[in-house]
């Protein structure tokens, strides 16, 4: 079988853990939808029926390449991913700047079919391939005083029209609390639909945190820093009353300018009626991370 992964792992090297998680997610989705928990029931299946490759790669948010949904597909070909390196620094035992292949060498690549819910109230379902972020962090050796993980996207002004125009304060930065970063649902995705990550989706490696609004899932990562204090994050910095640091999908906490109770599923043609948004985007297993927190205040 041809090697499809930049780190030379094939799908056969992946552990069955991803399939297990997918099955659990289908069950979680079915339960949340009140369908009695049977994965075979139509509603639950619809919920995790992946969008087409075409839809996933032509309707994007990647402001470095423009603010229109079609701009990344049009402009991201210019992203230079050759000799990509990722710097791992801060409170780790093994800091360094690693070629991507070295960063992920030997780590299990799994398929994860996840819902992606954008803060703009649209959603799709994406069959990612990726590595648990935990595996990368474990190898880095997280030190006991680290409490957050900060991420940074590449800045290539010559290749990125949105950077040249200054549509946001670049580099795009994001962050997670350490326990969120270590959760088994959190992946560093290197591909989708068994293809290397398309540039408009964040080649060659991007974060995917399926229970949070899509803006947390930062693309084309060049730096991962373990830090003690909650790091600055792009959208929260820009409009703190509109975009929280946590950004957990929550149908009961509206965006100040629109409702988050429902979402428009991209694609789906005739039957693309709005669907109810699920707490934690249906990934109820993360609820324990937020016990005791006021989710209206810490949105
Ligand atoms: N990462 C960077 N570097 N720049 C961006 O503009 N947009 C975010 C997130 N990651 C963004 C980013 C938003 S708002 C969403 S919804 C998702 O990417 C979209 O991912 P997709 O285009 O693969 O669906």
């Amino acid at each position: 079988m041809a090697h499809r992964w930049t780190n030379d792992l094939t799908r056969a090297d992946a552990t069955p853990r991803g399939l297990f998680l997918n099955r659990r997610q289908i069950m979680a989705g079915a339960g949340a939808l009140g369908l009695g928990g049977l994965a075979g029931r139509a509603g639950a299946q619809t919920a995790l029926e992946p969008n087409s490759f075409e839809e996933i790669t032509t309707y994007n948010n990647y402001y470095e390449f423009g603010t229109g949904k079609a701009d990344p597909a049009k402009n991201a070909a210019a992203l230079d991913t050759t000799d990509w390196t990722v710097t791992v620094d801060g409170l780790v035992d093994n800091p360094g700047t690693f070629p991507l292949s070295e960063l992920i060498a030997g780590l299990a690549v799994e398929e994860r079919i996840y819902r992606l819910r954008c803060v703009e109230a649209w959603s799709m379902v994406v069959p990612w391939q990726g590595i648990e972020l935990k595996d990368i962090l474990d190898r880095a050796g997280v030190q006991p005083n680290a409490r957050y993980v900060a991420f940074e996207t590449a800045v290539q002004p010559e290749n990125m029209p949105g950077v040249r125009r200054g549509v946001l304060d670049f580099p795009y930065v994001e962050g997670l609390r350490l326990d969120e970063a270590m959760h088994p649902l959190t992946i560093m995705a290197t591909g989708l639909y068994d293809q290397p990550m398309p540039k408009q989706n964040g080649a060659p490696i991007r974060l995917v945190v399926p229970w949070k609004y899509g803006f947390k899932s930062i693309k084309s990562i060049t730096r991962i820093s373990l830090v003690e204090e909650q790091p600055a994050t792009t959208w929260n910095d820009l409009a703190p009353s509109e975009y929280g640091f946590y950004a957990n999908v929550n149908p009961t906490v509206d965006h100040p300018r629109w409702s988050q109770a429902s979402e428009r599923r991209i694609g789906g043609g005739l039957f693309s009626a709005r669907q109810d948004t699920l707490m934690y985007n249906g990934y109820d297993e993360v609820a324990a991370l937020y016990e005791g927190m006021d989710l209206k205040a810490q949105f």
Side-chain angles (χ1 to χ4, degrees), residues 13-237:
D13 296 307
T15 72
R17 198 161 37 152
L19 293 173
F20 169 65
L21 276 171
N22 288 337
R23 217 170 291 130
R24 280 177 58 210
Q25 285 148 26
I26 291 165
M27 300 304 272
L33 290 164
L35 295 171
L38 230 224
R41 300 281 280 270
Q45 267 192 344
T46 307
L48 279 188
E49 184 70 41
N51 281 84
S52 69
F53 185 81
E54 169 84 8
E55 287 159 354
I56 294 167
T57 57
T58 58
Y59 189 93
N60 299 98
N61 276 332
Y62 196 166
Y63 274 27
E64 286 85 337
F65 293 102
T67 54
K69 295 288 179 275
D71 289 342
K74 203 167 58 191
N75 298 329
L79 177 72
D80 183 2
T81 59
T82 52
D83 300 324
W84 196 269
T85 60
V86 179
T87 297
V88 182
D89 62 6
L91 303 170
V92 290
D93 295 334
N94 311 305
T97 294
F98 306 97
L100 178 61
S101 56
E102 200 179 304
L103 182 80
I104 62 180
L107 303 180
V109 177
E110 302 183 13
E111 171 152 285
R112 300 287 179 93
I113 301 171
Y114 282 159
R115 293 189 190 87
L116 174 81
R117 168 56 158 88
C118 182
V119 73
E120 298 164 332
W122 54 264
S123 66
M124 37 175 110
V125 175
V126 186
W128 305 105
Q129 286 81 44
I131 291 144
E132 288 189 11
L133 175 58
K134 178 185 192 302
D135 290 346
I136 293 173
L137 296 180
D138 281 346
R139 190 144 75 186
V142 177
Q143 296 179 349
N145 48 338
R147 291 175 55 228
Y148 293 89
V149 187
F151 304 86
E152 214 173 284
T153 291
V155 184
Q156 300 175 356
E158 66 284 9
N159 301 332
M160 295 172 157
V163 169
R164 288 199 299 274
R165 290 209 315 275
V167 300
L168 284 176
D169 192 10
F170 296 106
Y172 193 102
V173 288
E174 258 305 335
L176 296 173
R177 217 171 54 191
L178 186 59
D179 58 348
E180 300 175 320
M182 297 298 254
H183 194 280
L185 287 175
T186 303
I187 60 165
M188 293 285 276
T190 52
L192 60 86
Y193 266 113
D194 286 338
Q195 316 251 357
M197 187 64 73
K199 289 184 174 178
Q200 57 269 45
N201 294 88
I205 188 164
R206 56 92 55 94
L207 184 69
V208 179
V209 194
W211 71 93
K212 292 179 180 284
Y213 292 122
F215 69 85
K216 299 296 289 183
S217 292
I218 179 172
K219 297 178 169 183
S220 306
I221 291 169
T222 56
R223 181 183 292 269
I224 303 171
S225 307
L226 278 289
V227 296
E228 209 168 330
E229 304 293 332
Q230 182 178 305
T233 56
T234 292
W235 285 100
N236 181 241
D237 269 9

